[in-house]
Amino acid sequence: MTAEGGRMLGVARRILRRTDLAEEALQEALVLVWRKAHQFDESRGNARGWLYTILRNRCLTMLRNEDREVPVAPEDLDTPPDDVMLETAFDRLGHASDLRRCLERLDGESRRAILATYVLGYSHGEIAGRLDAPLGSVKSRVRRGLMKLRECLS
């Protein structure tokens, strides 16, 4: 098991993009393997595949879990609020910029979601938590907004 631990941690890091969550996912996956070892069926595949399937499922569950984000009061942060950072980034675009012109055509929520994705590097789940919106709605806004931007810029 320890021989696979490093590789499993690497897989979890690639899926979750955060070391702390990857370590937590690996720990939970190994506990599940320990508890469910009696369910392993060699006729359905090898043990390594079974281990990585459990890890992958654990990682995907963590990604879907919206309650992973810890709310922090804006006054406790050293950085400016997201709205200020997004407005600053938008204002830095030249007034004659095609990108600015196309972004102005989008509705406010789609523009915020796209800017939060590309300027702040937020995942769809993080944006949904910050906008207090359903995850599916945020994904749709980003997808439709990007399609409109593509049309506008071409």
Side-chain angles (χ1 to χ4, degrees), residues 126-137:
E126 290 171 321
I127 295 169
R130 283 171 166 56
L131 295 179
D132 196 29
L135 180 60
S137 297

Side-chain angles (χ1 to χ4, degrees), residues 1-34 47-59 62:
M1 187 86 69
T2 56
E4 287 300 314
R7 287 187 207 114
M8 291 175 76
L9 183 59
V11 168
R13 273 192 202 127
R14 280 192 299 274
I15 294 171
L16 296 169
R17 295 190 178 120
R18 282 182 46 192
T19 302
D20 59 334
L21 288 181
E23 290 170 350
E24 185 178 335
L26 177 59
Q27 172 68 27
E28 290 176 13
L30 292 176
V31 168
L32 278 172
V33 166
W34 181 261
R48 180 176 286 156
W50 185 66
L51 288 173
Y52 284 92
T53 299
I54 291 172
L55 176 66
R56 178 184 171 275
N57 290 340
R58 188 70 219 121
C59 290
M62 290 175 81

Side-chain angles (χ1 to χ4, degrees), residues 37-103:
H38 65 281
Q39 294 178 351
F40 173 67
D41 183 4
E42 193 175 313
S43 65
R44 296 182 67 193
N46 65 21
R48 180 176 286 156
W50 185 66
L51 288 173
Y52 284 92
T53 299
I54 291 172
L55 176 66
R56 178 184 171 275
N57 290 340
R58 188 70 219 121
C59 290
L60 293 177
T61 299
M62 290 175 81
L63 284 174
R64 283 186 214 110
N65 229 355
E66 291 183 33
D67 62 348
R68 286 269 171 216
E69 191 170 322
V70 178
V72 177
E75 59 272 6
D76 293 341
L77 296 175
D78 291 339
T79 59
D82 292 347
D83 290 336
V84 173
M85 291 174 61
L86 293 179
E87 285 302 316
T88 302
F90 184 71
D91 290 341
R92 285 184 181 169
L93 291 172
H95 288 285
S97 164
D98 289 337
L99 180 58
R100 182 185 181 103
R101 180 181 47 82
C102 292
L103 280 169

